[in-house]
Amino acid sequence: MAEQSNNSQELPERPKEEQEGEKGPSKSALKKAAKEKEKAEKAAKRQAEEAAKKAADDANDVSKEDYGDLPMLGSQPYVPHADSAKRISLTELAQQNEDVSGKEVTFRAIVENARNQAAKLSFVVFRQGISTIQGVVAASDKLSRQMVKFAGSIPSESVVLVHALVEKPKEAVKSTTIQHLEVHVKQLFVIAKAEPQLPMQVEDAERPLPGEGEEQVENEGRPIVTLNTRLNNRVIDLRGKHNHAIFTIKDGVTLLFQEYLRSKGFIGANTPRLLGAPSEGGASVFEVSYFATKAFLAQSPQLYKQMLIAARFEKVMEVGPIFRAENSNTARHLTEFTGLDLEMAFEEDYHEVVTLLEELMLFIFNGLRTRYKLETDLVRSIYHVEDFALPAAGSVPRLTFAEGIQMLRDDGVEIGDFDDLSTPDEKRLGALVLKKYGSDFYVLDQYPLAIRPFYTMPSAETQAKYDASKPNDGYSNSYDFFMRGQEIMSGAQRIHDAGFLEKRMKEHVTPVDPKSEGLRDYVNAFRYGCPPHAGGGIGLERIVMLWLGLPNVRLASLFPRDPGRLAP
Amino acid sequence: MAEQSNNSQELPERPKEEQEGEKGPSKSALKKAAKEKEKAEKAAKRQAEEAAKKAADDANDVSKEDYGDLPMLGSQPYVPHADSAKRISLTELAQQNEDVSGKEVTFRAIVENARNQAAKLSFVVFRQGISTIQGVVAASDKLSRQMVKFAGSIPSESVVLVHALVEKPKEAVKSTTIQHLEVHVKQLFVIAKAEPQLPMQVEDAERPLPGEGEEQVENEGRPIVTLNTRLNNRVIDLRGKHNHAIFTIKDGVTLLFQEYLRSKGFIGANTPRLLGAPSEGGASVFEVSYFATKAFLAQSPQLYKQMLIAARFEKVMEVGPIFRAENSNTARHLTEFTGLDLEMAFEEDYHEVVTLLEELMLFIFNGLRTRYKLETDLVRSIYHVEDFALPAAGSVPRLTFAEGIQMLRDDGVEIGDFDDLSTPDEKRLGALVLKKYGSDFYVLDQYPLAIRPFYTMPSAETQAKYDASKPNDGYSNSYDFFMRGQEIMSGAQRIHDAGFLEKRMKEHVTPVDPKSEGLRDYVNAFRYGCPPHAGGGIGLERIVMLWLGLPNVRLASLFPRDPGRLAP
């Protein structure tokens, strides 16, 4: 195999002067030429000697079958053999209770870095997922110096195939995540060689980014790699161990969301992203060229999940992309994010749904704590954040909006009864709730009607005191959920009666036309018997960001989209 | 409660003539007027008598607290009580092993239909999901005739709250899905009343639609409801029991897909739908207005899932919407559908991935057979189709493309070695495979290179025999999966080396520019060490359609999108 790694030796180029020579050469030119010739001859001789030595070395290379560059997999006829595809996981190896030293293992890994320590010794750090282990390549009567040199020269980030003996190191290895084991390499092949110059280093991606408005802190003299550079080179950035942890956690939230709701009888739905007309406020909707006409990208599955309730699907959930054409360039906004949505019919009171949503969130938080502890700890070792304070089961703080306003006033904030909460107010209220109830997670219920969408059910009191001249006064059966003082979910009881819905559409602060193309089918869905229902929509990236204390929501999106970014 | 159901009695309109009368009336007019007056007086008297009788009846109505229209839930102050929200499921009730007759139950249901059988007897069929049960409302000393009349007059599709006694009927009820039980109503309230005239009947939605090119068969004298009418009124159409079964099965496929792949270490990803440039052929891509620039909707997560492999995520899966701007108005095309995608690094041979994909599909098919038998049987009772023939585990027929061509030729089809298969050819080959191997599911491997995308890895033989003048000759490491002779999945080993990828991009039958905006980042992802990998993309709606033998893929989409349809 080793032969394949030898770069073909090119002959030295002839001196340029020899190729020219129309007119007679000058004396100094002749002298120079002679010198060049001598130099070239020496070089050629040296080259020849080296080649001969190399040929002799290769002939004497006891390891020549044990290292080198593999041909591109899939490009050679494949013959299955006994050991085909039997590979070990480094993480699993490290977690074995039995003594694994002396065991022979084969694994595919990434070269995190490789260095020639001496002529007879190279070290290669191998990485698999979030685990790294030290590899020792030591010359012996069975392992040639050529192989040692080859191992120490593999470019970082190359993919390699390793056959090795597991050993206990004399003392714990400090520079790898697996510290109580190392591998003594017996065979080492490069599967895919990385180019030597990377646009950024993976280790630089593993240092924290500053929060909004904070200064980037230089770390151990390493270059500053900005968020923009990282996102421009996202494939390399994502190789960072903390990024693997972040997206494992993100997938975990989805899994826990679906697992809990399925256990409660919810069915997953796929509602359309392409709509014939904007339905929820035309300002922040993306327009699509659709054959001879136009389409619009869904800003939420709101209207469709309600239509599914009207279609007798009692409990529906959906995980899917959400598009918002908001020109907001903040650390909290994306133009495309993942919505975790649900809607359910209830029996008597919309708080049945609020309770289910609280239990859902507690299930997710507890699942993250137990099943994703390793990943959470890894990310928090980079982005330091207080542990997430969870309420005891069944006692999620649930305040009315009015109570929330009162808490803010008691704390010195000047705010009107029906004013929407600003982001600083929300954070302040979150801090007050944490202090009073010991929970980073709480619910604010009964929001003012005027600041909620047209489909929101007014509260009982609001309906009882209805005043036609002030149709948007009072509260509504709606709620927001908060983590660390930031909103992660918005929800409400929806109006399930077509006549009342039409009335509210016309009376809303921002009136909409019930007969418009985008709303007609929606309103009609409630004419033929629809049960009372409520639901909510959760921003997946926000949960991940707030659970981990990330400084920017972009860090919770594999390939984030904002008004200025559509690539990679 | 009953009072609320009384429509306010309007006084009879005065005869029109009395309102006019500028000139003196004629004799016949006077006579007519006298007659009208007498008639009106009689009517008024009758009305008064009826009102008096009604008032007396109401006063005597022993059931007045037991029926009527409920106020809109959420619109009255809610006081929790002992029985709050305790409701039974009809399906669960029917499946109880113990004798449930004599049990008092409360449930919310839909009125499938209601009829007054006699003054003392009404029948109401209640529906919950895919279960229906007969309700008996019989007058007695505890249940008034007014209540019997009210019950028999509830418009179909209204949502009701029922309190009743479970009984065994004297003989099995033929018109309901639950035949061995009926409920004797004690209380009956309307939660949400349906308008009496529906644009189409739910029972009409429960009859089969014809296949493409087939005539609609009239059934039991009921009106023909076309696919178009059904889709225009999709919320009512979806209420059909078979539709609930179809979408329960669809969710089941997603669940089984994720469950199997998670058990194999796959991680769920959310890749962007908004792209800065079209990446996979510009012809069938939707264009989006994106602030001051343009974006394009993802035609697949192909490039992104590969970039995630390059970013060290070894096994990724994604469930998400896919957009194709193909102006195809067939029974098999949608402009928006759900993709089940996966990509994984492999160790030695891409057949490792093919084997995993085969096992995944068998897991899904077996899961549908066992966990979703009820739903499958229900849909197949409407859309009659042969049971899906499954191969024994581990022996999924896997043919090379060349073998497939040979089978077709042996059957008399004239076809070239490297011709793409037409839809009729595919169906024919499916029938031949079924006959030979007894399986409706099989894999065709090693497709011609020329008919696959640029990122497809040429086969070992093709690379060995490479001829620069015919760079697209030969086969590739790619495969399609088939159900009932129709393609459900396409996949391949992808090129993981940037240099070779650039070469193939330029040499492809439809060359693309590796330096173009949409492909530059993609190509760069493979410069820094990417393991060999393969994957595939499955059309979710196609699996559902073919599993159930549905005549149109639109029936497997909640709100289907095609070139002519963006609503509801």
Side-chain angles (χ1 to χ4, degrees):
Chain A
M1 285 278 173
E3 289 83 348
Q4 298 192 37
S5 67
N6 299 344
N7 291 319
S8 64
Q9 298 283 352
E10 281 176 34
L11 287 171
E13 233 179 76
R14 284 192 302 155
K16 211 176 173 193
E17 285 79 44
E18 289 186 24
Q19 299 170 353
E20 298 169 348
E22 296 294 320
K23 52 177 183 174
S26 70
K27 213 172 183 180
S28 68
L30 281 171
K31 202 173 169 188
K32 196 180 171 193
K35 227 177 187 171
E36 295 278 358
K37 196 186 167 198
E38 191 185 345
K39 206 172 157 190
E41 280 169 355
K42 267 190 187 163
K45 196 182 164 199
R46 197 172 57 241
Q47 207 98 38
E49 282 169 4
E50 277 174 13
K53 185 172 179 296
K54 186 149 197 353
D57 280 356
D58 282 354
N60 293 329
D61 186 348
V62 294
S63 304
K64 61 184 170 186
E65 299 296 327
D66 298 330
Y67 69 101
D69 294 346
L70 285 183
M72 194 160 61
L73 265 71
S75 306
Q76 298 237 325
Y78 175 69
V79 186
H81 54 94
D83 278 342
S84 284
K86 275 189 193 166
R87 305 284 189 265
I88 61 133
S89 144
L90 292 180
T91 307
E92 282 171 23
L93 181 75
Q95 287 167 350
Q96 302 262 324
N97 287 324
E98 53 174 325
D99 184 6
V100 290
S101 62
K103 196 174 170 180
E104 280 203 17
V105 294
T106 305
F107 59 91
R108 173 165 52 82
I110 308 305
V111 171
E112 187 161 282
N113 61 66
R115 67 178 203 278
N116 287 302
Q117 180 79 355
K120 289 181 150 188
L121 183 64
S122 288
F123 290 108
V124 185
V125 175
F126 299 114
R127 190 176 71 227
Q128 248 187 18
I130 60 174
S131 296
T132 54
I133 197 166
Q134 172 157 277
V136 180
V137 191
S140 69
D141 56 349
K142 284 178 185 163
L143 199 152
S144 68
R145 290 190 183 201
Q146 293 95 316
M147 180 167 164
V148 171
K149 191 177 169 193
F150 171 84
S153 312
I154 299 173
S156 293
E157 293 300 312
S158 296
V159 183
V160 292
L161 179 64
V162 186
H163 185 69
L165 212 61
V166 183
E167 298 280 7
K168 280 185 193 154
K170 278 169 197 154
E171 50 191 282
V173 185
K174 280 179 189 160
S175 55
T176 55
T177 66
I178 301 173
Q179 311 200 323
H180 68 295
L181 295 173
E182 62 182 19
V183 289
H184 289 229
V185 171
K186 300 183 77 169
Q187 290 185 309
L188 181 59
F189 301 103
V190 173
I191 293 173
K193 191 178 277 182
E195 289 185 9
Q197 285 296 321
L198 275 72
M200 61 180 281
Q201 302 304 313
V202 175
E203 61 177 317
D204 290 333
E206 289 183 344
R207 278 198 306 280
L209 279 164
E212 217 175 13
E214 288 174 22
E215 288 261 325
Q216 179 115 24
V217 182
E218 216 173 323
N219 206 341
E220 296 159 27
R222 299 284 313 180
I224 290 175
V225 183
T226 64
L227 177 61
N228 211 35
T229 302
R230 294 188 192 199
L231 296 181
N232 286 343
N233 300 285
R234 188 63 163 160
V235 168
I236 295 172
D237 184 42
L238 284 174
R239 291 179 179 182
K241 290 186 281 291
H242 67 294
N243 268 329
H244 277 245
I246 288 172
F247 292 100
T248 302
I249 288 168
K250 186 178 182 181
D251 183 43
V253 176
T254 303
L255 168 65
L256 293 162
F257 175 83
Q258 294 176 326
E259 188 176 306
Y260 179 82
L261 292 178
R262 282 215 166 91
S263 78
K264 298 291 174 186
F266 280 73
I267 183 177
N270 308 98
T271 66
R273 305 294 114 170
L274 290 169
L275 312 181
S279 48
E280 294 179 77
S284 57
V285 64
F286 287 115
E287 192 181 296
V288 183
S289 298
Y290 195 81
F291 304 104
T293 179
K294 283 175 185 172
F296 301 87
L297 290 182
Q299 293 153 280
S300 88
Q302 181 60 38
L303 307 191
Y304 284 92
K305 61 185 184 171
Q306 283 191 258
M307 286 158 84
L308 290 177
I309 298 292
R312 312 293 183 223
F313 293 87
E314 285 272 299
K315 298 172 178 180
V316 294
M317 62 174 176
E318 180 160 23
V319 178
I322 304 279
F323 306 95
R324 300 271 169 90
E326 290 167 12
N327 205 342
S328 303
N329 291 281
T330 79
R332 301 189 306 132
H333 287 85
L334 293 168
T335 52
E336 177 179 350
F337 62 93
T338 309
L340 304 180
D341 268 275
L342 66 89
E343 199 74 23
M344 68 177 272
F346 62 81
E347 302 303 343
E348 303 198 346
D349 179 60
Y350 78 98
H351 288 103
E352 294 163 34
V353 183
V354 179
T355 301
L356 177 129
L357 285 165
E358 288 170 356
E359 284 167 4
L360 164 67
M361 293 311 302
L362 290 180
F363 182 82
I364 291 173
F365 296 144
N366 283 315
L368 291 177
R369 277 200 166 169
T370 51
R371 298 192 214 169
Y372 297 89
K373 188 177 183 321
L374 186 72
E375 288 83 1
T376 298
D377 288 349
L378 196 153
V379 180
R380 288 189 183 164
S381 72
I382 296 176
Y383 291 103
H384 307 293
V385 70
E386 292 290 312
D387 200 15
F388 192 84
L390 277 182
S395 66
V396 177
R398 193 194 289 175
L399 313 177
T400 64
F401 189 83
E403 287 168 341
I405 293 288
Q406 193 54 52
M407 281 178 79
L408 282 171
R409 283 185 188 151
D410 291 348
D411 200 48
V413 179
E414 282 187 30
I415 187 166
D417 282 351
F418 297 98
D419 289 355
D420 205 354
L421 298 179
S422 67
T423 303
D425 286 346
E426 284 182 348
K427 287 190 181 169
R428 190 153 175 176
L429 185 53
L432 293 171
V433 169
L434 176 61
K435 201 172 160 192
K436 186 167 176 185
Y437 299 97
S439 175
D440 271 317
F441 170 52
Y442 82 101
V443 177
L444 210 52
D445 188 20
Q446 289 279 317
Y447 267 69
L449 181 61
I451 59 173
R452 305 298 280 203
F454 62 80
Y455 44 73
T456 310
M457 181 67 87
S459 71
E461 196 190 25
T462 295
Q463 290 190 60
K465 290 185 184 171
Y466 178 73
D467 175 352
S469 69
K470 298 172 195 162
N472 293 300
D473 270 14
Y475 296 99
S476 61
N477 291 350
S478 64
Y479 39 84
D480 276 7
F481 282 41
F482 291 86
M483 279 174 74
R484 301 191 198 268
Q486 293 197 50
E487 182 246 308
I488 51 153
M489 196 193 71
S490 223
Q493 178 182 353
R494 332 294 185 176
I495 298 171
H496 59 276
D497 176 273
F500 188 55
L501 180 60
E502 287 175 312
K503 180 175 149 72
R504 282 298 305 153
M505 284 171 148
K506 291 173 193 159
E507 288 179 353
H508 193 259
V509 176
T510 315
V512 292
D513 179 6
K515 292 186 172 56
S516 68
E517 200 190 328
L519 294 170
R520 202 175 39 218
D521 290 317
Y522 170 71
V523 175
N524 285 340
F526 305 110
R527 292 198 196 287
Y528 310 105
C530 176
H533 58 284
I538 308 171
L540 173 57
E541 287 80 3
R542 283 222 179 152
I543 295 186
V544 175
M545 172 177 80
L546 294 168
W547 176 255
L548 295 171
L550 303 179
N552 196 308
V553 74
R554 287 164 185 77
L555 300 179
S557 174
L558 285 166
F559 299 97
R561 296 295 182 249
D562 63 36
R565 178 173 291 281
L566 279 167
Chain B
M1 285 280 173
E3 288 83 346
Q4 298 192 37
S5 67
N6 300 341
N7 291 319
S8 64
Q9 299 283 351
E10 281 177 35
L11 287 170
E13 235 180 76
R14 285 193 302 156
K16 212 177 174 192
E17 284 83 335
E18 289 184 25
Q19 298 171 353
E20 299 168 350
E22 297 293 318
K23 52 178 183 173
S26 70
K27 213 174 182 180
S28 68
L30 282 171
K31 203 174 167 186
K32 198 180 171 193
K35 229 179 184 168
E36 294 278 359
K37 197 185 167 198
E38 191 186 347
K39 206 172 158 189
E41 280 168 355
K42 268 190 187 163
K45 196 182 163 201
R46 199 172 55 240
Q47 207 99 37
E49 282 167 5
E50 276 175 13
K53 185 173 178 298
K54 187 147 197 353
D57 281 358
D58 281 355
N60 292 329
D61 187 350
V62 294
S63 303
K64 62 185 171 185
E65 299 296 328
D66 297 332
Y67 69 101
D69 294 347
L70 285 184
M72 195 160 61
L73 265 70
S75 306
Q76 300 238 325
Y78 175 69
V79 186
H81 53 95
D83 280 343
S84 284
K86 275 190 189 164
R87 305 284 189 265
I88 60 134
S89 143
L90 292 180
T91 307
E92 282 171 22
L93 181 75
Q95 287 168 349
Q96 301 264 324
N97 286 324
E98 54 174 325
D99 184 5
V100 289
S101 62
K103 195 174 171 180
E104 279 201 19
V105 293
T106 304
F107 59 91
R108 173 165 51 82
I110 308 304
V111 171
E112 187 160 283
N113 62 66
R115 66 177 204 277
N116 287 303
Q117 178 81 357
K120 289 181 150 189
L121 185 65
S122 287
F123 289 107
V124 185
V125 175
F126 298 115
R127 191 175 72 227
Q128 247 188 19
I130 60 175
S131 296
T132 54
I133 197 165
Q134 173 157 276
V136 180
V137 191
S140 70
D141 55 349
K142 285 178 185 160
L143 198 152
S144 68
R145 288 191 184 201
Q146 293 95 315
M147 179 167 165
V148 171
K149 192 179 169 192
F150 171 85
S153 312
I154 299 172
S156 293
E157 294 298 314
S158 295
V159 184
V160 291
L161 180 62
V162 186
H163 186 67
L165 211 63
V166 182
E167 297 280 7
K168 279 184 191 153
K170 279 170 193 150
E171 49 191 282
V173 185
K174 281 180 187 158
S175 54
T176 54
T177 65
I178 300 173
Q179 311 199 324
H180 68 295
L181 295 173
E182 61 183 18
V183 289
H184 289 231
V185 171
K186 299 183 79 171
Q187 291 185 307
L188 183 58
F189 301 103
V190 173
I191 293 173
K193 191 180 275 182
E195 289 185 8
Q197 286 294 323
L198 274 73
M200 62 179 281
Q201 302 304 312
V202 174
E203 61 176 318
D204 291 333
E206 289 184 342
R207 280 199 304 282
L209 279 163
E212 216 176 14
E214 289 172 21
E215 289 262 326
Q216 179 115 22
V217 181
E218 216 172 325
N219 206 341
E220 297 159 23
R222 299 283 314 179
I224 291 174
V225 183
T226 64
L227 176 61
N228 212 35
T229 303
R230 294 188 191 200
L231 295 182
N232 287 341
N233 299 285
R234 187 62 163 163
V235 168
I236 296 173
D237 184 42
L238 284 174
R239 292 180 179 182
K241 288 187 282 291
H242 67 293
N243 268 328
H244 278 244
I246 287 172
F247 292 99
T248 302
I249 288 167
K250 187 178 183 181
D251 182 44
V253 176
T254 304
L255 168 66
L256 292 161
F257 175 83
Q258 293 176 326
E259 189 176 306
Y260 180 82
L261 292 178
R262 282 216 167 90
S263 79
K264 298 289 174 187
F266 280 73
I267 183 176
N270 308 98
T271 66
R273 305 294 114 168
L274 290 169
L275 311 181
S279 48
E280 294 180 78
S284 58
V285 66
F286 287 115
E287 193 180 295
V288 182
S289 298
Y290 195 81
F291 305 104
T293 180
K294 283 176 186 173
F296 301 86
L297 290 182
Q299 294 154 280
S300 87
Q302 181 60 37
L303 307 191
Y304 284 91
K305 61 185 186 171
Q306 283 191 258
M307 285 157 85
L308 290 177
I309 298 293
R312 312 294 182 222
F313 292 87
E314 285 273 298
K315 298 172 178 181
V316 293
M317 62 174 175
E318 180 160 21
V319 177
I322 304 279
F323 306 95
R324 300 272 169 90
E326 291 169 10
N327 204 342
S328 302
N329 290 281
T330 78
R332 303 189 306 132
H333 286 85
L334 294 169
T335 51
E336 178 180 349
F337 62 93
T338 309
L340 304 179
D341 268 274
L342 66 89
E343 199 74 23
M344 67 178 272
F346 62 82
E347 301 302 345
E348 303 199 345
D349 180 61
Y350 77 99
H351 289 103
E352 294 163 33
V353 183
V354 179
T355 301
L356 178 129
L357 285 166
E358 289 170 355
E359 283 168 4
L360 165 67
M361 293 311 302
L362 290 180
F363 182 82
I364 290 174
F365 296 144
N366 283 315
L368 291 178
R369 276 201 165 168
T370 51
R371 297 192 215 170
Y372 297 89
K373 187 179 185 320
L374 186 72
E375 289 83 1
T376 298
D377 289 349
L378 197 154
V379 180
R380 288 187 184 167
S381 73
I382 295 176
Y383 291 103
H384 307 293
V385 70
E386 293 289 313
D387 199 16
F388 192 86
L390 278 183
S395 66
V396 177
R398 192 193 291 173
L399 313 176
T400 64
F401 188 85
E403 286 167 341
I405 292 288
Q406 193 54 53
M407 280 178 79
L408 283 171
R409 281 183 188 152
D410 291 347
D411 199 48
V413 179
E414 283 188 27
I415 187 166
D417 282 351
F418 297 98
D419 288 356
D420 205 353
L421 298 179
S422 66
T423 303
D425 286 346
E426 284 183 348
K427 287 190 180 168
R428 190 156 176 172
L429 185 53
L432 293 171
V433 170
L434 177 61
K435 200 172 160 192
K436 187 168 176 184
Y437 300 96
S439 175
D440 272 316
F441 170 53
Y442 82 101
V443 177
L444 209 52
D445 187 21
Q446 289 280 318
Y447 267 70
L449 181 61
I451 59 173
R452 305 297 279 204
F454 62 80
Y455 44 73
T456 310
M457 181 68 87
S459 71
E461 195 189 25
T462 295
Q463 289 190 62
K465 291 182 181 171
Y466 178 73
D467 174 352
S469 69
K470 299 173 194 162
N472 293 300
D473 271 14
Y475 296 98
S476 61
N477 291 352
S478 64
Y479 38 83
D480 275 7
F481 281 41
F482 292 87
M483 279 174 75
R484 301 189 198 269
Q486 292 195 49
E487 183 246 308
I488 52 154
M489 196 193 72
S490 224
Q493 178 182 354
R494 333 293 186 175
I495 298 170
H496 60 275
D497 177 272
F500 188 55
L501 180 61
E502 287 176 313
K503 179 175 151 72
R504 283 297 306 152
M505 285 172 147
K506 290 173 193 159
E507 289 179 352
H508 193 257
V509 176
T510 316
V512 291
D513 180 5
K515 291 187 173 57
S516 68
E517 200 190 327
L519 294 170
R520 202 176 39 219
D521 290 316
Y522 169 72
V523 174
N524 286 340
F526 305 110
R527 292 197 196 287
Y528 309 105
C530 176
H533 58 284
I538 308 173
L540 174 56
E541 286 80 3
R542 283 221 178 153
I543 294 186
V544 175
M545 172 176 82
L546 295 167
W547 176 254
L548 296 171
L550 303 179
N552 196 308
V553 73
R554 287 165 184 77
L555 300 179
S557 174
L558 285 167
F559 298 96
R561 294 294 181 252
D562 63 36
R565 177 174 292 281
L566 278 168

